[in-house]
């Protein structure tokens, strides 16, 4: 069953702690993306990766870090430097990074930091 | 910066009625995509429009891309309760690297039975 998995679904952390969100895809897609969604808002791009071992900052990268050591995995770390980390985080992938392709989204991780 | 705006932000519709949601970009787009997010769910791709003036239909949904490739619309006919959710447009800016989409704020659709 192909798709994108994100874990965990809900995550609670204390302020000042770093936390890593998992994103795995078995679609053999080259490109992967991380978005943040706040209540009643659209999606804002945090980071994206076009190929293994390469990634670029999106519109709101401050306070976040990523890695892309394997094609199927694109974990996101929310660092203590992120001033307002509580949000719904969505991972997505697409076939390729050139041209225009639909993005497939995972189920998301809802992060709450107190 | 480059922006994609959607109106209205909220749409309350009586079941059986039609409505339209609009998407406007500050810059010319190479293409536009539409996604639907059900309450508590994740965005799911609906359609992509590429050509100037393009119109595509999916059952009761009609998607249109403007002649200048800076705006788009989604028209839903005879709304049903299954249409509940948030509809996002996402623009692929010309010369943007890496299939980087800019999402609009979404139109949240509520259907009154």
């Amino acid at each position: 069953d192909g798709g994108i998995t994100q874990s965990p679904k809900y995550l609670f952390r204390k302020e000042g702690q770093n936390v890593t969100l998992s994103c795995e895809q078995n679609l053999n897609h080259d490109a992967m993306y991380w978005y943040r969604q706040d209540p009643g808002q659209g999606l804002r791009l945090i980071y994206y990766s076009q190929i293994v071992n390469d990634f670029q900052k999106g519109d709101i990268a401050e306070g976040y870090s990523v890695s892309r050591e394997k094609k199927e995995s694109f974990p996101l770390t929310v660092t203590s430097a992120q001033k307002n980390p509580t949000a719904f985080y969505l991972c997505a992938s697409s076939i390729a990074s050139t041209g225009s392709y639909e993005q497939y989204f995972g189920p998301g991780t809802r992060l709450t930091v107190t | 910066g480059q922006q994609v705006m959607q109106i209205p932000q909220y749409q309350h519709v009586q079941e059986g009625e039609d409505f339209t949601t609009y998407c406007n970009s500050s810059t010319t787009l190479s293409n536009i995509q539409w996604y639907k997010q059900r309450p508590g769910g994740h965005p799911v791709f609906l359609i992509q429009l590429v050509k100037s003036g393009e119109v595509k239909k999916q059952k009761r949904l009609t998607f249109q891309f403007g002649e200048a490739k800076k705006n788009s619309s989604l028209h839903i006919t005879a709304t049903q309760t299954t249409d509940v959710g948030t509809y996002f447009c996402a623009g692929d800016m010309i010369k943007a690297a890496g299939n980087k989409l800019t999402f609009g704020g979404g139109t949240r659709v509520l259907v009154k039975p």
Side-chain angles (χ1 to χ4, degrees):
Chain A
D1 191 20
I4 301 179
T5 56
Q6 290 185 246
S7 60
K9 189 171 183 179
Y10 297 95
L11 190 54
F12 298 88
R13 280 293 183 271
K14 293 290 187 185
E15 196 173 310
Q17 294 178 333
N18 291 355
V19 58
T20 297
L21 311 184
S22 165
C23 177
E24 303 279 330
Q25 54 101 355
N26 61 3
L27 301 167
N28 200 32
H29 285 174
D30 281 328
M32 296 187 75
Y33 313 82
W34 273 105
Y35 293 92
R36 171 184 171 134
Q37 186 175 33
D38 293 286
Q41 303 293 315
L43 282 67
R44 292 185 290 169
L45 183 65
I46 304 172
Y47 268 98
Y48 64 104
S49 169
Q50 298 173 275
I51 199 167
V52 174
N53 292 323
D54 185 55
F55 48 83
Q56 287 82 39
K57 292 181 179 180
D59 301 317
I60 55 164
E62 186 176 349
Y64 300 97
S65 65
V66 293
S67 62
R68 186 90 186 274
E69 296 176 2
K70 298 186 295 182
K71 187 175 185 177
E72 57 270 23
S73 179
F74 191 40
L76 172 75
T77 297
V78 184
T79 75
S80 56
Q82 168 50 233
K83 296 190 188 320
N84 187 17
T86 295
F88 186 43
Y89 290 88
L90 287 157
C91 178
S93 70
S94 63
I95 292 174
S97 59
T98 55
S100 298
Y101 299 94
E102 66 181 275
Q103 294 187 8
Y104 294 76
F105 284 83
T109 292
R110 207 166 290 275
L111 173 65
T112 302
V113 177
T114 58
Chain B
Q2 297 162 338
Q3 287 190 323
V4 174
M5 307 294 291
Q6 276 186 260
I7 53 170
Q9 189 175 1
Y10 295 94
Q11 181 80 56
H12 296 251
V13 192
Q14 191 71 43
E15 190 173 12
E17 290 185 342
D18 303 352
F19 77 90
T20 303
T21 176
Y22 300 90
C23 178
N24 296 292
S25 170
S26 59
T27 60
T28 305
L29 303 170
S30 62
N31 67 80
I32 194 158
Q33 299 178 12
W34 284 87
Y35 291 78
K36 178 182 179 181
Q37 183 176 23
R38 293 184 186 277
H42 58 276
V44 174
F45 175 82
L46 293 176
I47 209 158
Q48 177 174 277
L49 305 170
V50 179
K51 298 177 184 176
S52 170
E54 188 171 15
V55 178
K56 287 188 177 180
K57 292 188 177 184
Q58 285 181 351
K59 298 182 181 178
R60 296 178 295 101
L61 277 62
T62 301
F63 303 85
Q64 188 165 4
F65 202 8
E67 294 291 339
K69 300 183 75 173
K70 294 180 73 174
N71 56 73
S72 180
S73 64
L74 160 59
H75 180 78
I76 299 183
T77 306
T79 305
Q80 299 177 359
T81 55
T82 53
D83 295 324
V84 165
T86 302
Y87 294 83
F88 293 100
C89 63
D92 188 358
M93 307 290 175
I94 288 178
K95 297 183 181 178
N99 194 24
K100 191 163 85 75
L101 297 175
T102 300
F103 280 79
T107 293
R108 188 174 177 186
V109 176
L110 303 170
V111 179
K112 294 176 281 187

